[in-house]
Amino acid sequence: MLTNKPKTKILVDGGDPNETLRVKNLIGFVDGQTTNPSLIAKNPEIQQLIASGHTLSPEEEKNEYKKIVQSISPLVGDAGVSIEVFADLNTTAKDMLVQGQEMFRWIPNAYIKYPCTHEGLRAAQMSVQKSIRVNMTLCFSQEQAAAVYAATKGSNSPVYVSPFVGRLDDRGEDGMDLVRNIKKMYERGDGHVHVLAASIRTINHLLCSFFLCAELATVPSKVLHEWASAGFPLPDKGFTYKGADANGKPLKPIQYKELDLNLPWENFELAHELTTKGIKKFVADYESTLRRSA
Ligand code: G3P
């Protein structure tokens, strides 16, 4: 069991309450959980239904999602359970907000996940005005994180922004640099946005998230088990991180940009091809659980 708790809150990145419970037994606590359509599609019970030929209607899929987060909710601490709205590239802010309002009522500790797109940002802006907690997902640029800050100013609870480290690494860019750059940019802010390091694939990513003082990290159970097997190491003062791709090649650094957090959020460049790709992947995984209409 972990005795020396890092300052970074630890969330399980998954869609299976039994897995969350196993992590809780292993570490002694779980601060929170993040879910998304791909992780829900992988839930063992949903997989079983699909394997038996019983695919779901959208309403049944929503009810399954609700059941899953309701089982996870009491297992986790104050970082809550992030629930993602179903959004494709045409989903409007209004539609996301309607879903978010409903999902927010599912459990007492919900955070609603919206993508870092123009419509996602608009939905987040309206949500925080209604005291709905939000987690802005699929963040791949410092500009998107600046827009999250500006759009959610005045929120009465912390807003999460989720930079996806591993997916930047996948294309040869050092994803940990994005976490570092966002943290640095927010030093000049009011502290209302917390950085949630996501798409964590290795213990090294996790240690670097601790070292950079990310407020939260969401971590697949597999990586948490590896961390436990290694004796729960924490980074020391001299910790150095060397990002490498799957072939061991060094990653390209992502440069810090001077951005003015006081600008209106619409002024920031929001488009990023990995955000678009990520939305398409979530849609495909979500649809894989659905009944095909004849
Ligand atoms: O937290 C985000 C995560 O679920 C995405 O991870 O490994 O699919 O990039 P990955």
Side-chain angles (χ1 to χ4, degrees):
M1 223 167 262
L2 175 69
T3 45
N4 198 4
K5 195 174 186 291
K7 284 213 181 79
T8 300
K9 289 184 180 172
I10 298 177
L11 289 72
V12 175
D13 195 18
D16 175 8
N18 291 323
E19 184 185 77
T20 307
L21 191 56
R22 284 194 293 274
V23 172
K24 192 173 176 177
N25 291 336
L26 179 76
I27 303 184
F29 69 92
V30 167
D31 289 310
Q33 171 103 17
T34 56
T35 64
N36 64 41
S38 306
L39 296 167
I40 295 302
K42 278 193 212 136
N43 171 280
E45 281 173 32
I46 292 195
Q47 281 297 315
Q48 228 171 26
L49 283 174
I50 293 164
S52 66
H54 183 105
T55 44
L56 308 158
S57 68
E59 196 57 27
E60 284 171 325
E61 162 86 32
K62 192 166 76 180
N63 288 334
E64 288 300 316
Y65 197 178
K66 184 174 172 180
K67 267 194 336 212
I68 292 167
V69 298
Q70 285 179 336
S71 303
I72 294 171
S73 167
L75 301 175
V76 306
D78 64 1
V81 182
S82 291
I83 313 171
E84 185 150 348
V85 298
F86 298 106
D88 63 20
L89 295 170
N90 300 317
T91 308
T92 63
K94 183 82 208 317
D95 182 2
M96 289 189 214
L97 177 67
V98 169
Q99 291 186 56
Q101 283 176 300
E102 182 184 346
M103 289 166 155
F104 195 66
R105 288 193 292 269
W106 287 355
I107 49 173
N109 52 352
Y111 275 75
I112 302 303
K113 284 174 92 174
Y114 298 116
C116 280
T117 57
H118 185 271
E119 292 305 289
L121 263 293
R122 275 203 332 122
Q125 186 176 37
M126 294 188 278
S127 294
V128 299
Q129 284 163 8
K130 295 179 188 299
S131 295
I132 291 174
R133 291 177 293 268
V134 300
N135 172 359
M136 300 308 292
T137 190
L138 291 168
C139 174
F140 292 100
S141 74
Q142 207 190 311
E143 286 86 344
Q144 290 175 331
V148 168
Y149 179 94
T152 59
K153 237 177 167 176
S155 170
N156 50 23
S157 18
V159 164
Y160 299 162
V161 65
S162 296
F164 273 37
V165 174
R167 292 194 192 179
L168 283 162
D169 285 10
D170 287 344
R171 63 173 206 178
E173 293 174 48
D174 194 338
M176 288 309 322
D177 278 348
L178 178 60
V179 175
R180 181 180 289 106
N181 294 344
I182 297 172
K183 283 290 296 176
K184 181 172 170 189
M185 173 172 72
Y186 285 172
E187 275 169 19
R188 283 177 286 116
D190 59 14
H192 82 276
V193 186
H194 291 186
V195 176
L196 196 174
S199 183
I200 296 290
R201 309 267 179 77
T202 63
I203 298 183
N204 225 11
H205 281 155
L206 181 61
L207 296 189
C208 190
S209 304
F210 295 160
F211 185 71
L212 295 174
C213 301
E215 283 84 357
L216 317 104
T218 186
V219 192
S221 132
K222 181 175 166 280
V223 176
L224 290 170
H225 278 85
E226 286 166 15
W227 184 51
S229 301
F232 300 114
L234 295 178
D236 54 25
K237 282 208 168 62
F239 175 82
T240 49
Y241 172 79
K242 281 199 180 61
D245 70 12
N247 304 316
K249 258 183 59 189
L251 299 169
K252 201 168 132 250
I254 300 176
Q255 298 307 326
Y256 180 75
K257 291 178 186 157
E258 287 300 338
L259 298 176
D260 182 358
L261 290 173
N262 295 313
L263 292 175
W265 67 266
E266 294 91 341
N267 281 35
F268 297 104
E269 174 60 56
L270 289 171
H272 196 289
E273 64 176 284
L274 289 183
T275 304
T276 308
K277 200 171 158 191
I279 291 173
K280 286 185 182 160
K281 167 99 172 70
F282 285 152
V283 171
D285 288 340
Y286 165 67
E287 283 180 350
S288 72
T289 67
L290 294 184
R291 187 171 305 147
R292 301 255 164 260
S293 44

